[in-house]
């Protein structure tokens, strides 16, 4: 009998499912794809079978009613390439689960009790955990015999000391309602901080790293010797850096003001801060490529948005330098961090006093893998490390099921 070596990674959102099938012998991708606009008439499935020589991406548009139908469609696509979910070569399904609270500190094989706890966290993750639960339940129905592993966005941050993880509010109220700084993007921060250590030729335990995960959502973390000691997102992914559509840090009294003075109800304010703020609120665009293009053409609102974005980044770099005391590396990752030379240059400009500098040529040089962009003599390494949350989920899930 063959030893199963494949892991299917599922990232289920409220109206989408992203997936990758990996072969863990060499961590190669056998297939990748996504289903979007689930529940609408114009749902879309995009499937790329990488394992099949010469096979092309297949796309379909049409109604896909729910997550069960979406996963059935994905299974059918995989089966066409001989990669079906009924294959004995499948070792596990790894699920991205956004909120694991304080309880899930490591990837966990899902049983009824685990599923119940993930559901119990829905009040603190109302947008994400219900979709994650749907993905898990559908996958369990499809292959009840297969280990299903939950990998939580919050786990990496459970090592934060109470001093960083607690808000300074009434303790009894905080405890009763589980109001706590949980942090998110943990799989990325874990993977990228480890890869940064590798790039420096050291063990994770030997280095202190500040990771800037700058995608549409954005967060910073301070990682001391491989353990997270602070992160910028909190109870929800709204806190911290300026993001594509989220405000990041604001005075909470802005909310009272919008309610009492501007007459907005709480759901309107929620949508304003999560969906209509950040870069889109400031300048009407949330894609950093478009923002830098406009800025270079002399657009003032794009420039101001960029400056606000960078100012917040600098504040977190400074804060986390102080939290860590000694910094070995500052690492940029995710869509903006990996690609925007302008953001990297501006975020580090003027921080020579912190030992931080970017070499302009290295910063401009495009490359696929992890790389240093600081001058060779710099006191603190500045790195670009492509994140790979799917690989991290697959690796964790596979390690767990293989023992
Ligand atoms: P998500 O949070 O959706 O996973 P990503 O990490 O994929 O986001 O990042 C998406 C963002 O990355 C885009 O909105 C865009 O702002 C930015 N981005 C992608 N490519 C580039 C580029 N070449 N230059 C600047 N920014 C880029």
């Amino acid at each position: 009998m063959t030893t199963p070596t494949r892991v299917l990674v599922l990232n289920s959102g409220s109206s989408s499912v992203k997936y990758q099938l990996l072969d863990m012998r060499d961590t190669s991708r056998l297939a990748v794809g996504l289903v979007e606009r689930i529940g609408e008439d114009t749902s879309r499935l995009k499937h790329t079978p990488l394992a099949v020589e010469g096979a092309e991406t297949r796309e379909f548009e049409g109604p896909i009613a729910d997550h069960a139908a979406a996963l059935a469609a994905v299974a059918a696509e995989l089966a066409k390439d001989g990669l079906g979910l009924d294959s004995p070569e499948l070792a596990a399904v790894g699920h991205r689960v956004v909120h694991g609270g304080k309880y899930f500190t490591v990837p966990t094989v899902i049983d009824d009790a685990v599923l119940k706890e993930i559901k119990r966290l829905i009040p603190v993750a109302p947008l994400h955990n219900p979709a994650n639960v749907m993905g898990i339940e559908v996958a369990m129905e499809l292959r009840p015999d297969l280990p299903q592993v939950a990998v939580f966005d919050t786990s990496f941050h459970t090592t934060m000391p109470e001093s960083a993880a607690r808000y300074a509010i009434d303790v009894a109220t905080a405890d009763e309602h589980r109001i706590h700084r949980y942090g998110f993007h943990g799989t990325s921060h874990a993977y990228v901080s480890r890869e940064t250590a590798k790039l420096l030729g050291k063990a994770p335990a030997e280095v202190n790293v500040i990771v800037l995960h700058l995608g549409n959502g954005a967060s910073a973390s301070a990682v001391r010797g491989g353990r997270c000691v602070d992160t910028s997102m909190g109870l929800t992914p709204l806190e911290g850096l300026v993001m594509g559509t989220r405000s990041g840090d604001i005075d909470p009294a802005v909310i009272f003001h919008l309610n009492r003075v501007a007459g907005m109800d709480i759901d309107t304010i929620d949508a304003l801060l999560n969906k209509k703020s950040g870069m889109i609120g400031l300048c009407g665009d949330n894609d950093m490529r478009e923002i830098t293009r406009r800025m270079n053409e002399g657009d003032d609102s794009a420039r101001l948005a960029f400056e606000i974005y960078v100012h917040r980044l600098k504040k977190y770099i400074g804060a986390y330098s102080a939290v860590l005391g000694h910094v070995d590396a500052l690492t940029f990752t995710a869509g903006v961090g990996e690609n925007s030379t302008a953001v990297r240059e501006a975020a580090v400009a003027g921080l020579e006093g912190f030992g931080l500098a970017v070499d302009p040529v290295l910063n401009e040089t495009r490359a696929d893998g992890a790389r240093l962009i600081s001058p060779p003599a710099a006191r603190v390494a500045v790195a670009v490390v492509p994140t790979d949350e799917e690989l991290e989920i697959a690796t964790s899930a596979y390690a767990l099921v293989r023992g």
Side-chain angles (χ1 to χ4, degrees):
M1 206 187 116
T2 55
T3 310
T5 57
R6 292 178 189 163
V7 176
L8 177 69
V9 175
L10 288 182
N11 182 352
S12 308
S14 55
S15 65
S16 70
V17 176
K18 292 188 201 141
Y19 61 93
Q20 291 196 359
L21 183 67
L22 290 93
D23 186 337
M24 298 314 289
R25 283 174 299 187
D26 57 2
T27 69
S28 61
R29 263 72 171 173
L30 303 175
V32 302
L34 84 161
V35 187
E36 290 176 297
R37 301 200 287 265
I38 296 170
E40 294 179 34
D41 287 342
T42 57
S43 314
R44 211 166 64 105
L45 187 151
K46 191 172 169 189
H47 176 85
T48 307
L50 301 165
V52 186
E53 188 92 20
E56 290 187 355
T57 298
R58 303 193 286 269
E59 285 190 52
F60 304 96
E61 203 171 297
I64 296 179
D66 52 26
H67 283 68
L71 216 56
V74 170
E77 284 313 309
L78 287 166
K80 284 183 195 165
D81 305 310
L83 301 168
L85 296 190
D86 52 352
S87 163
E89 289 178 74
L90 198 58
V93 181
H95 296 268
R96 176 192 182 207
V97 179
V98 169
H99 218 307
K102 287 203 257 184
Y103 185 74
F104 294 111
T105 58
V106 287
T108 305
V109 174
I110 304 168
D111 57 18
D112 288 345
V114 170
L115 196 55
K116 206 167 143 197
E117 183 61 24
I118 296 171
K119 287 181 182 170
R120 222 163 67 83
L121 288 160
I122 287 176
V124 283
L127 299 179
H128 294 104
N129 275 28
N132 300 155
V133 166
M134 270 190 276
I136 293 168
E137 287 180 336
V138 173
M140 276 176 146
E141 251 167 60
L142 229 50
R143 278 293 301 268
D145 57 314
L146 206 63
Q148 310 276 335
V149 177
V151 181
F152 301 92
D153 272 24
T154 46
S155 290
F156 185 60
H157 305 304
T158 55
T159 52
M160 279 198 289
E162 289 277 285
S163 53
R166 275 207 178 261
Y167 291 108
I169 61 172
D170 174 67
V171 172
T173 308
D175 288 349
E176 184 186 345
H177 297 287
R178 301 211 254 182
I179 296 169
H180 189 84
R181 302 195 61 254
Y182 296 102
F184 298 90
H185 290 145
T187 38
S188 177
H189 287 284
Y191 175 80
V192 168
S193 55
R194 243 189 298 115
E195 290 297 306
T196 302
K198 217 187 266 179
L199 186 64
L200 300 182
K202 301 215 166 137
E206 294 173 314
V207 293
N208 290 353
V209 187
I210 297 173
V211 178
L212 301 176
H213 175 111
L214 312 178
N216 220 344
S219 64
S221 68
V223 183
R224 175 179 288 134
R227 290 164 67 86
C228 178
V229 293
D230 204 353
T231 195
S232 59
M233 285 178 168
L235 173 74
T236 76
L238 183 56
E239 190 179 343
L241 301 174
V242 177
M243 311 183 208
T245 66
R246 298 183 202 131
S247 62
D249 296 334
I250 56 161
D251 180 345
V254 170
I255 297 162
F256 316 147
H257 188 88
L258 289 172
N259 178 248
R260 294 188 190 125
V261 180
M264 289 185 190
D265 65 30
I266 214 70
D267 290 331
T268 307
I269 301 170
D270 188 331
L272 177 81
L273 296 180
N274 272 298
K275 300 196 175 128
K276 297 183 197 160
S277 296
M279 301 308 268
I280 204 140
L282 288 166
C283 72
D285 266 312
N286 63 338
D287 191 318
M288 197 54 83
R289 282 164 289 203
E290 190 55 18
I291 293 163
T292 31
R293 189 193 61 74
R294 280 173 51 192
M295 187 170 72
N296 292 336
E297 286 176 358
D299 183 319
D300 287 339
S301 71
R303 169 160 300 281
L304 181 60
F306 184 87
E307 285 172 356
I308 294 169
Y309 183 93
V310 167
H311 179 73
R312 187 78 52 86
L313 274 181
K314 279 184 194 282
K315 291 214 297 197
Y316 272 92
I317 294 169
Y320 288 174
S321 297
V323 165
L324 291 170
H326 167 86
V327 181
D328 295 289
L330 170 70
T331 303
F332 290 88
T333 192
V336 176
E338 290 166 32
N339 294 297
S340 177
T341 52
V343 165
R344 294 195 300 253
E345 184 190 329
V348 172
L351 299 186
E352 295 80 9
F354 289 78
L356 287 161
V358 163
D359 179 290
V361 176
L362 294 176
N363 189 32
E364 290 286 344
T365 307
R366 295 210 144 263
D368 283 338
R371 60 194 186 276
L372 293 174
I373 56 168
S374 42
R379 205 164 79 225
V380 180
V382 181
V384 176
V385 175
T387 192
D388 197 337
E389 288 162 284
E390 289 77 16
L391 176 60
E392 179 73 8
I393 292 171
T395 306
S396 309
Y398 192 59
L400 200 58
V401 300
R402 293 302 302 277

